């Protein structure tokens, strides 16, 4: 056998291992075996990644159906790690019913295997097949409790939107194959780099962007993401920590196509940018921890898509990994988060004065501007503006609900965060570099404008809630501007579904002689 294929077969073992785990629990749920498979996959990915990084393992040619790109190794490692955590949590969460355990673990392992197959695919049809398999297997997990009306309705909407995303992606794949006469993603990248982009490539890029937007639950197709909290907690963790990130991953693997398409970039900047701001502000008006996390996911996904549109693919990859780990922890630890949220709400916060806002803003802008000047960083600059806004909030609200910090400590923490962020961004650059896009300073200015709007909205919704106009606006934000209600009506009109009937509790029958005793 040609040595070039050794790496391929070893990498294919990762999704095959998850699929094998789905077959091994026919008689009973083998949680320990499933956890061992995920740990073995993680170890295999780490070893293969290190071997190929130092040119020890056989490398594959660009004609391979399997990709050995650094991004694939990072994503596979992330998937295996999240899988292990999720399986261990699920084993305790689902304990008690053998039939439900088997059914749950079967679909969980199939979903994980399908995600892994998408990540390692260099052949577009193979990736498309695995992409569809993710949606179908996840649907079984979302309706794991079929008697819950909200869960069934959310899964129904997700099912429709998944078909829309798949249609967009399949259209892009067929167009790219027709235009370049190849099914391999690496061949398409090489052709575009050499010959430039055609009109059909522009259409394909737009279809890829639309598929990513739908997959990431961007406005107004977001309602299902809020309502699937009715599914089991580990399913929510898997969805928010891994599967919904596939929209950003799709843009990363088609980076060479996205950066040369003006229309794809602007669609991502407009829809993703608006979703980032509105979802973050809506999150402030919600009380439920899981619902707040769902709106947070929408906002983070919008920001990740914006980063891809600006050509900051290394930042998008870093964002994807950090968001996955945080959301897995947040959902699986949602019980403790409820207690922490109650403590924050019951504690008295000291509103920052106007002077404190100004000083915090100047200090944050100075720190960020100094870093940009010292390192001689080129644009886009809107992500650095967002970082400055985050530092401003951190410094201005130092007299928080649960503790108080000095200005010096906050300045020191801000400097540490800037250094840590820069180092992480530089590390991600080694995996996938940033690329120059055609939107230029106009797109950068648009995102900067949205970030300033977010800052203004945050201050109004948090510290000026008594103003009549802010009260009305808060009511609209709390309702999500009723976008989901309109989309739900349209969905049920086009493709209706039968919701489960709520069973009324049986009345307690007490004999008359016992009643009058």
């Amino acid at each position: 056998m040609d040595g070039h294929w050794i790496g391929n077969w070893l990498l294919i073992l990762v999704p095959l291992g998850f699929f094998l785990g789905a077959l091994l629990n026919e008689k009973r749920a083998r949680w320990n075996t499933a956890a061992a498979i995920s740990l073995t996959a993680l170890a295999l990915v780490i070893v293969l990644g290190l071997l190929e990084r130092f040119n020890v393992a056989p490398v594959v040619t660009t004609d391979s159906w399997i990709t050995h790109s650094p991004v694939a190794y990072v994503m596979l490692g992330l998937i295996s790690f999240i899988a292990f955590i999720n399986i261990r949590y699920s084993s305790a969460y689902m304990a008690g019913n053998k039939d439900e355990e088997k059914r749950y673990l079967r679909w969980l392992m199939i979903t994980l295997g399908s995600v892994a197959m998408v990540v390692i695919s260099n052949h577009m049809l193979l990736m498309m097949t695995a992409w569809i398999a993710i949606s179908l297997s996840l649907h079984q997990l979302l309706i794991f409790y079929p008697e819950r009306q909200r869960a069934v309705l959310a899964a129904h909407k997700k099912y429709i939107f998944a078909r829309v995303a798949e249609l967009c992606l399949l259209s892009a794949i067929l167009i790219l194959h027709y235009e370049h006469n190849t099914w391999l993603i690496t061949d398409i990248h090489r052709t575009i780099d050499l010959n430039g982009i055609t009109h059909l490539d522009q259409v394909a890029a737009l279809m890829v962007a639309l598929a990513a937007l739908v997959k990431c639950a961007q406005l107004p197709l977001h309602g299902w993401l809020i309502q699937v909290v009715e599914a089991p907690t580990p399913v929510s963790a898997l969805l928010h920590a891994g599967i919904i990130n596939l929209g950003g991953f799709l843009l990363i693997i088609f980076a060479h196509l996205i950066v040369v398409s003006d229309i794809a970039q602007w669609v991502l900047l407009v829809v993703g940018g608006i979703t980032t701001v509105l979802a973050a502000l809506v999150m402030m008006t919600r009380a439920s921890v899981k619902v707040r996390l769902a709106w947070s996911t929408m906002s983070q996904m919008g920001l990740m898509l914006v980063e891809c549109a600006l050509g900051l693919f290394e930042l998008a990859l870093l964002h994807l990994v950090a968001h996955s780990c945080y959301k897995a922890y947040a959902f699986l630890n949602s019980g403790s988060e409820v207690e922490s949220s109650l403590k924050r709400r019951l504690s008295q916060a000291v509103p920052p004065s106007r002077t404190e806002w100004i000083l915090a803003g100047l200090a944050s802008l100075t720190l960020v501007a100094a870093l940009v000047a010292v390192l001689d960083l080129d644009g886009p600059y809107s992500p650095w503006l967002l970082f400055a806004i985050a530092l401003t909030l951190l410094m201005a609200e130092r007299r928080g609900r649960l503790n108080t910090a000095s200005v010096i400590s906050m300045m020191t923490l801000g400097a540490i965060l800037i250094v840590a962020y820069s180092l992480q961004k530089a590390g991600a650059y080694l995996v996938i570099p940033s690329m120059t896009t055609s939107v230029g300073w106009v797109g950068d200015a648009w995102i900067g404008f949205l970030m300033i709007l977010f800052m203004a909205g945050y201050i109004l919704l948090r510290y000026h809630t008594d103003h009549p106009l802010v009260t009305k606006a808060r009511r609209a934000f709390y309702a999500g501007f009723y976008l989901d209600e309109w989309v739900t009506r349209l969905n049920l009109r086009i493709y209706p579904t039968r919701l489960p009937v709520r069973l009324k509790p049986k009345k307690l029958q007490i004999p008359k002689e016992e009643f009058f005793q």
Side-chain angles (χ1 to χ4, degrees), residues 414-457:
I416 293 174
L417 290 176
I418 288 178
V419 173
Y421 170 77
S422 302
L423 292 176
Q424 291 172 351
K425 189 172 182 294
Y429 189 88
L430 299 176
V431 178
I432 178 171
S434 58
M435 301 181 185
T436 303
T437 61
S438 55
V439 294
W441 68 269
V442 180
D444 199 19
W446 160 250
I447 298 303
F449 170 72
L450 289 178
M451 294 302 104
I452 294 174
L453 285 182
F454 164 74
M455 179 72 172

Side-chain angles (χ1 to χ4, degrees), residues 272-440:
I274 292 176
T275 301
T276 300
V277 174
L278 292 184
L281 295 177
V282 169
M283 180 187 68
M284 296 177 57
T285 67
R286 297 305 183 98
S288 171
V289 171
K290 282 191 175 182
V291 172
R292 286 170 63 87
L293 289 173
W295 281 101
S296 170
T297 295
M298 285 174 50
S299 180
Q300 296 297 327
M301 291 301 98
L303 184 58
M304 183 175 63
L305 298 181
V306 164
E307 291 161 353
C308 292
L310 293 174
L312 300 172
F313 293 100
E314 82 285 4
L315 186 57
L317 180 63
L318 176 62
H319 196 158
L320 190 156
V321 174
H323 176 266
S324 294
C325 295
Y326 167 70
K327 280 301 163 65
Y329 169 80
F331 270 95
L332 299 181
N333 197 46
S334 56
S336 300
E337 181 62 23
V338 171
E339 182 180 356
S340 301
S341 179
L342 287 175
K343 289 181 179 179
R344 289 193 298 269
R345 290 176 181 277
L346 294 175
S347 302
Q348 293 294 327
V350 180
S353 64
R354 184 176 300 178
T355 302
E356 288 176 323
W357 280 117
I358 294 174
L359 292 178
L362 290 176
S364 301
L365 288 173
T366 301
L367 283 173
V368 174
L371 178 67
V372 172
V374 169
L375 298 181
D376 193 23
L377 300 175
D378 297 327
Y381 298 107
S382 52
W384 292 107
L385 174 61
L386 178 60
F387 198 88
I389 289 174
L391 289 180
T392 299
L393 296 177
L394 183 66
M395 293 182 185
E397 297 177 333
R398 67 184 185 279
R399 293 182 294 176
R401 298 178 181 270
L402 299 178
N403 49 43
T404 301
S406 64
V407 177
I408 300 300
S409 63
M410 286 294 98
M411 290 283 290
T412 304
L413 178 60
I416 293 174
L417 290 176
I418 288 178
V419 173
Y421 170 77
S422 302
L423 292 176
Q424 291 172 351
K425 189 172 182 294
Y429 189 88
L430 299 176
V431 178
I432 178 171
S434 58
M435 301 181 185
T436 303
T437 61
S438 55
V439 294

Side-chain angles (χ1 to χ4, degrees), residues 130-151:
W131 186 282
I132 296 173
I134 293 173
S135 175
L136 297 179
S137 55
L138 178 64
H139 183 77
Q140 298 300 319
L141 293 174
L142 294 180
I143 60 171
F144 191 77
Y145 298 124
E147 71 279 1
R148 297 183 179 181
Q149 289 187 347
R150 287 175 58 86

